[in-house]
Amino acid sequence: MTFVWSGWGWATFPLVILWLMGGSAAGDHFFGNENLGGAVGGFASCLVLWFWGRHLNRYGNEHTMSAVPMHWWGASLLLFGVATAVLVELYPT
């Protein structure tokens, strides 16, 4: 699998991973539940990607990862996270 990026698009996945790790680490400390911290970290990473991607693309430069602009990665990952949370609630183990 190859990743093709332009501009700051290369930072898309490292940002998501760092925010998820930070949220999981802080979740146990602040929320008493590392799963909730991961969800908060994931939500924060989506917001960062959306706003930072919109800010970078404001100047007319393309900042993409695999031909998808950074801000749309944030939106799509947020929708994926919401769908996953709904499925977990509907079909508990």
Side-chain angles (χ1 to χ4, degrees):
M1 179 176 202
T2 59
F3 291 102
V4 180
W5 67 85
S6 65
W8 280 90
W10 64 269
T12 301
F13 291 127
L15 276 172
V16 171
I17 298 300
L18 287 173
W19 278 89
L20 284 173
M21 288 176 22
S24 292
D28 192 33
H29 180 70
F30 291 112
F31 304 113
N33 182 352
E34 68 182 35
N35 294 331
L36 183 59
V40 170
F43 180 73
S45 72
C46 292
L47 289 179
V48 167
L49 280 177
W50 176 262
F51 287 111
W52 192 36
R54 297 281 298 176
H55 175 73
L56 289 173
N57 287 334
R58 180 178 64 182
Y59 301 112
N61 299 333
E62 284 294 316
H63 299 278
T64 63
M65 171 62 84
S66 298
V68 177
M70 281 179 79
H71 60 280
W72 288 118
W73 275 108
S76 63
L77 290 173
L78 181 64
L79 289 176
F80 178 75
V82 169
T84 302
V86 167
L87 287 175
V88 165
E89 288 298 317
L90 288 176
Y91 302 104
T93 57

